PDB file of all heavy atoms in Angstrom:
ATOM      1  N   VAL P  33       7.328   0.478 -18.770  1.00 98.00           N
ATOM      2  CA  VAL P  33       6.610   1.348 -19.706  1.00 98.00           C
ATOM      3  C   VAL P  33       7.640   2.064 -20.578  1.00 98.00           C
ATOM      4  O   VAL P  33       8.362   2.950 -20.111  1.00 98.00           O
ATOM      5  CB  VAL P  33       5.699   2.337 -18.961  1.00 98.00           C
ATOM      6  CG1 VAL P  33       4.971   3.239 -19.961  1.00 98.00           C
ATOM      7  CG2 VAL P  33       4.677   1.580 -18.105  1.00 98.00           C
ATOM      8  N   LYS P  35       7.248   3.834 -23.418  1.00 97.00           N
ATOM      9  CA  LYS P  35       6.812   4.925 -24.309  1.00 97.00           C
ATOM     10  C   LYS P  35       7.901   5.985 -24.438  1.00 97.00           C
ATOM     11  O   LYS P  35       8.599   6.260 -23.454  1.00 97.00           O
ATOM     12  CB  LYS P  35       5.528   5.557 -23.776  1.00 97.00           C
ATOM     13  CG  LYS P  35       5.681   6.226 -22.425  1.00 97.00           C
ATOM     14  CD  LYS P  35       4.332   6.674 -21.896  1.00 97.00           C
ATOM     15  CE  LYS P  35       4.479   7.407 -20.574  1.00 97.00           C
ATOM     16  NZ  LYS P  35       3.228   7.421 -19.795  1.00 97.00           N
ATOM     17  N   ASN P  56       1.627   3.124 -24.210  1.00 98.00           N
ATOM     18  CA  ASN P  56       0.329   3.782 -24.036  1.00 98.00           C
ATOM     19  C   ASN P  56      -0.302   4.225 -25.347  1.00 98.00           C
ATOM     20  O   ASN P  56      -1.437   4.683 -25.341  1.00 98.00           O
ATOM     21  CB  ASN P  56       0.421   4.947 -23.049  1.00 98.00           C
ATOM     22  CG  ASN P  56       1.177   6.127 -23.614  1.00 98.00           C
ATOM     23  OD1 ASN P  56       2.063   5.947 -24.448  1.00 98.00           O
ATOM     24  ND2 ASN P  56       0.832   7.321 -23.180  1.00 98.00           N
ATOM     25  N   VAL P  77      -1.372   0.179 -21.996  1.00 98.00           N
ATOM     26  CA  VAL P  77      -1.707   0.880 -20.746  1.00 98.00           C
ATOM     27  C   VAL P  77      -2.336   2.247 -20.994  1.00 98.00           C
ATOM     28  O   VAL P  77      -2.647   2.971 -20.054  1.00 98.00           O
ATOM     29  CB  VAL P  77      -0.471   1.013 -19.816  1.00 98.00           C
ATOM     30  CG1 VAL P  77       0.095  -0.367 -19.467  1.00 98.00           C
ATOM     31  CG2 VAL P  77       0.607   1.903 -20.425  1.00 98.00           C
ATOM     32  N   GLY P  78      -2.510   2.621 -22.260  1.00 98.00           N
ATOM     33  CA  GLY P  78      -3.113   3.912 -22.590  1.00 98.00           C
ATOM     34  C   GLY P  78      -4.493   3.739 -23.189  1.00 98.00           C
ATOM     35  O   GLY P  78      -4.904   2.618 -23.504  1.00 98.00           O
ATOM     36  N   THR P  97      -6.841  -1.217 -20.391  1.00 98.00           N
ATOM     37  CA  THR P  97      -7.601   0.027 -20.382  1.00 98.00           C
ATOM     38  C   THR P  97      -9.011  -0.101 -20.946  1.00 98.00           C
ATOM     39  O   THR P  97      -9.530   0.825 -21.551  1.00 98.00           O
ATOM     40  CB  THR P  97      -6.813   1.091 -21.173  1.00 98.00           C
ATOM     41  OG1 THR P  97      -6.450   0.542 -22.450  1.00 98.00           O
ATOM     42  CG2 THR P  97      -5.557   1.505 -20.422  1.00 98.00           C
ATOM     43  N   GLN P 123     -10.134  -0.310 -16.600  1.00 98.00           N
ATOM     44  CA  GLN P 123      -9.561   0.922 -16.053  1.00 98.00           C
ATOM     45  C   GLN P 123     -10.639   1.688 -15.296  1.00 98.00           C
ATOM     46  O   GLN P 123     -11.711   1.973 -15.821  1.00 98.00           O
ATOM     47  CB  GLN P 123      -8.975   1.798 -17.164  1.00 98.00           C
ATOM     48  CG  GLN P 123      -8.324   3.058 -16.587  1.00 98.00           C
ATOM     49  CD  GLN P 123      -7.580   3.883 -17.615  1.00 98.00           C
ATOM     50  OE1 GLN P 123      -7.534   3.539 -18.807  1.00 98.00           O
ATOM     51  NE2 GLN P 123      -6.984   4.977 -17.167  1.00 98.00           N
ATOM     52  N   MET P 160      -7.437  -1.613 -13.156  1.00 98.00           N
ATOM     53  CA  MET P 160      -6.267  -0.746 -13.347  1.00 98.00           C
ATOM     54  C   MET P 160      -6.686   0.685 -13.049  1.00 98.00           C
ATOM     55  O   MET P 160      -7.829   1.066 -13.294  1.00 98.00           O
ATOM     56  CB  MET P 160      -5.795  -0.882 -14.802  1.00 98.00           C
ATOM     57  CG  MET P 160      -4.654   0.028 -15.211  1.00 98.00           C
ATOM     58  SD  MET P 160      -5.184   1.644 -15.848  1.00 98.00           S
ATOM     59  CE  MET P 160      -3.789   2.036 -16.896  1.00 98.00           C
ATOM     60  N   VAL P 162      -5.096   4.988 -12.877  1.00 97.00           N
ATOM     61  CA  VAL P 162      -4.095   6.070 -12.878  1.00 97.00           C
ATOM     62  C   VAL P 162      -4.676   7.162 -11.987  1.00 97.00           C
ATOM     63  O   VAL P 162      -5.468   7.966 -12.433  1.00 97.00           O
ATOM     64  CB  VAL P 162      -3.861   6.635 -14.298  1.00 97.00           C
ATOM     65  CG1 VAL P 162      -2.760   7.695 -14.275  1.00 97.00           C
ATOM     66  CG2 VAL P 162      -3.541   5.534 -15.297  1.00 97.00           C
ATOM     67  N   GLY P 200       0.181   2.019  -9.405  1.00 98.00           N
ATOM     68  CA  GLY P 200       1.516   2.381  -8.952  1.00 98.00           C
ATOM     69  C   GLY P 200       2.419   2.653 -10.136  1.00 98.00           C
ATOM     70  O   GLY P 200       2.489   1.860 -11.074  1.00 98.00           O
ATOM     71  N   MET P 201       3.065   3.827 -10.113  1.00 98.00           N
ATOM     72  CA  MET P 201       4.000   4.242 -11.139  1.00 98.00           C
ATOM     73  C   MET P 201       5.312   4.638 -10.443  1.00 98.00           C
ATOM     74  O   MET P 201       5.501   4.362  -9.272  1.00 98.00           O
ATOM     75  CB  MET P 201       3.385   5.375 -11.978  1.00 98.00           C
ATOM     76  CG  MET P 201       2.006   4.948 -12.462  1.00 98.00           C
ATOM     77  SD  MET P 201       0.964   5.998 -13.522  1.00 98.00           S
ATOM     78  CE  MET P 201       1.880   7.425 -13.912  1.00 98.00           C
ATOM     79  N   SER P 202       6.211   5.288 -11.180  1.00 98.00           N
ATOM     80  CA  SER P 202       7.563   5.507 -10.641  1.00 98.00           C
ATOM     81  C   SER P 202       7.595   6.173  -9.266  1.00 98.00           C
ATOM     82  O   SER P 202       8.424   5.825  -8.424  1.00 98.00           O
ATOM     83  CB  SER P 202       8.386   6.360 -11.615  1.00 98.00           C
ATOM     84  OG  SER P 202       8.691   5.612 -12.767  1.00 98.00           O
ATOM     85  N   ASP P 203       6.707   7.137  -9.037  1.00 97.00           N
ATOM     86  CA  ASP P 203       6.795   7.909  -7.789  1.00 97.00           C
ATOM     87  C   ASP P 203       6.090   7.262  -6.598  1.00 97.00           C
ATOM     88  O   ASP P 203       6.283   7.694  -5.457  1.00 97.00           O
ATOM     89  CB  ASP P 203       6.188   9.309  -8.010  1.00 97.00           C
ATOM     90  CG  ASP P 203       6.985  10.109  -9.027  1.00 97.00           C
ATOM     91  OD1 ASP P 203       8.231   9.998  -9.008  1.00 97.00           O
ATOM     92  OD2 ASP P 203       6.372  10.817  -9.839  1.00 97.00           O
ATOM     93  N   ARG P 217       3.457  -0.228 -13.009  1.00 98.00           N
ATOM     94  CA  ARG P 217       3.814   0.242 -14.357  1.00 98.00           C
ATOM     95  C   ARG P 217       4.882   1.322 -14.237  1.00 98.00           C
ATOM     96  O   ARG P 217       4.602   2.421 -13.765  1.00 98.00           O
ATOM     97  CB  ARG P 217       2.568   0.797 -15.063  1.00 98.00           C
ATOM     98  CG  ARG P 217       1.369  -0.159 -15.043  1.00 98.00           C
ATOM     99  CD  ARG P 217       0.175   0.481 -15.742  1.00 98.00           C
ATOM    100  NE  ARG P 217      -0.125   1.799 -15.211  1.00 98.00           N
ATOM    101  CZ  ARG P 217      -1.000   2.054 -14.231  1.00 98.00           C
ATOM    102  NH1 ARG P 217      -1.686   1.074 -13.674  1.00 98.00           N
ATOM    103  NH2 ARG P 217      -1.187   3.285 -13.790  1.00 98.00           N
ATOM    104  N   LEU P 218       6.096   0.988 -14.640  1.00 98.00           N
ATOM    105  CA  LEU P 218       7.216   1.884 -14.359  1.00 98.00           C
ATOM    106  C   LEU P 218       7.906   2.362 -15.626  1.00 98.00           C
ATOM    107  O   LEU P 218       8.360   1.558 -16.434  1.00 98.00           O
ATOM    108  CB  LEU P 218       8.233   1.169 -13.464  1.00 98.00           C
ATOM    109  CG  LEU P 218       7.687   0.566 -12.163  1.00 98.00           C
ATOM    110  CD1 LEU P 218       8.811  -0.113 -11.398  1.00 98.00           C
ATOM    111  CD2 LEU P 218       7.003   1.616 -11.302  1.00 98.00           C
ATOM    112  N   GLY P 219       7.995   3.673 -15.765  1.00 98.00           N
ATOM    113  CA  GLY P 219       8.726   4.272 -16.869  1.00 98.00           C
ATOM    114  C   GLY P 219       9.989   4.949 -16.390  1.00 98.00           C
ATOM    115  O   GLY P 219      11.089   4.413 -16.471  1.00 98.00           O
ATOM    116  N   ARG P 220       9.842   6.167 -15.824  1.00 98.00           N
ATOM    117  CA  ARG P 220      11.000   6.999 -15.507  1.00 98.00           C
ATOM    118  C   ARG P 220      11.997   6.354 -14.556  1.00 98.00           C
ATOM    119  O   ARG P 220      13.208   6.552 -14.691  1.00 98.00           O
ATOM    120  CB  ARG P 220      10.521   8.337 -14.941  1.00 98.00           C
ATOM    121  CG  ARG P 220       9.830   9.227 -15.996  1.00 98.00           C
ATOM    122  CD  ARG P 220       9.090  10.360 -15.353  1.00 98.00           C
ATOM    123  NE  ARG P 220       8.086   9.838 -14.448  1.00 98.00           N
ATOM    124  CZ  ARG P 220       7.943  10.209 -13.181  1.00 98.00           C
ATOM    125  NH1 ARG P 220       8.728  11.116 -12.649  1.00 98.00           N
ATOM    126  NH2 ARG P 220       7.006   9.664 -12.444  1.00 98.00           N
ATOM    127  N   THR P 221      11.514   5.600 -13.592  1.00 98.00           N
ATOM    128  CA  THR P 221      12.460   5.049 -12.614  1.00 98.00           C
ATOM    129  C   THR P 221      13.346   3.963 -13.237  1.00 98.00           C
ATOM    130  O   THR P 221      14.431   3.674 -12.717  1.00 98.00           O
ATOM    131  CB  THR P 221      11.719   4.549 -11.354  1.00 98.00           C
ATOM    132  OG1 THR P 221      12.650   4.436 -10.283  1.00 98.00           O
ATOM    133  CG2 THR P 221      11.050   3.213 -11.583  1.00 98.00           C
ATOM    134  N   GLY P 224      14.779   6.717 -16.886  1.00 94.00           N
ATOM    135  CA  GLY P 224      15.093   8.141 -16.775  1.00 94.00           C
ATOM    136  C   GLY P 224      13.950   8.992 -17.312  1.00 94.00           C
ATOM    137  O   GLY P 224      12.947   8.476 -17.812  1.00 94.00           O
ATOM    138  N   ARG P 226      11.579  11.215 -19.513  1.00 89.00           N
ATOM    139  CA  ARG P 226      11.233  11.156 -20.931  1.00 89.00           C
ATOM    140  C   ARG P 226      11.433  12.525 -21.568  1.00 89.00           C
ATOM    141  O   ARG P 226      11.132  13.547 -20.960  1.00 89.00           O
ATOM    142  CB  ARG P 226       9.764  10.759 -21.113  1.00 89.00           C
ATOM    143  CG  ARG P 226       9.494   9.310 -20.845  1.00 89.00           C
ATOM    144  CD  ARG P 226       8.031   8.987 -21.039  1.00 89.00           C
ATOM    145  NE  ARG P 226       7.191   9.515 -19.992  1.00 89.00           N
ATOM    146  CZ  ARG P 226       6.926   8.898 -18.834  1.00 89.00           C
ATOM    147  NH1 ARG P 226       7.484   7.722 -18.581  1.00 89.00           N
ATOM    148  NH2 ARG P 226       6.156   9.444 -17.937  1.00 89.00           N
TER     149      ARG P 226
HETATM  150  C1  PLP D 301       3.659   6.599 -18.666  1.00 94.45           C
HETATM  151  C2  PLP D 301       2.768   5.715 -17.904  1.00 94.45           C
HETATM  152  C3  PLP D 301       3.257   5.000 -16.793  1.00 94.45           C
HETATM  153  C4  PLP D 301       4.683   5.133 -16.280  1.00 94.45           C
HETATM  154  O1  PLP D 301       4.843   6.360 -15.682  1.00 94.45           O
HETATM  155  P1  PLP D 301       6.204   6.736 -14.883  1.00 94.45           P
HETATM  156  O2  PLP D 301       5.763   7.845 -14.014  1.00 94.45           O
HETATM  157  O3  PLP D 301       7.186   7.106 -15.911  1.00 94.45           O
HETATM  158  O4  PLP D 301       6.606   5.527 -14.128  1.00 94.45           O
HETATM  159  C5  PLP D 301       2.376   4.173 -16.121  1.00 94.45           C
HETATM  160  N1  PLP D 301       1.102   4.034 -16.506  1.00 94.45           N
HETATM  161  C6  PLP D 301       0.603   4.692 -17.569  1.00 94.45           C
HETATM  162  C7  PLP D 301      -0.827   4.493 -17.947  1.00 94.45           C
HETATM  163  C8  PLP D 301       1.415   5.550 -18.294  1.00 94.45           C
HETATM  164  O5  PLP D 301       0.915   6.220 -19.352  1.00 94.45           O
END
Side-chain angles (χ1 to χ4, degrees):
V33 180
K35 64 187 183 201
N56 71 331
V77 301
T97 51
Q123 182 173 1
M160 175 271 206
V162 183
M201 308 181 4
S202 290
D203 296 322
R217 309 179 307 267
L218 306 180
R220 290 166 301 129
T221 199
R226 286 180 288 274

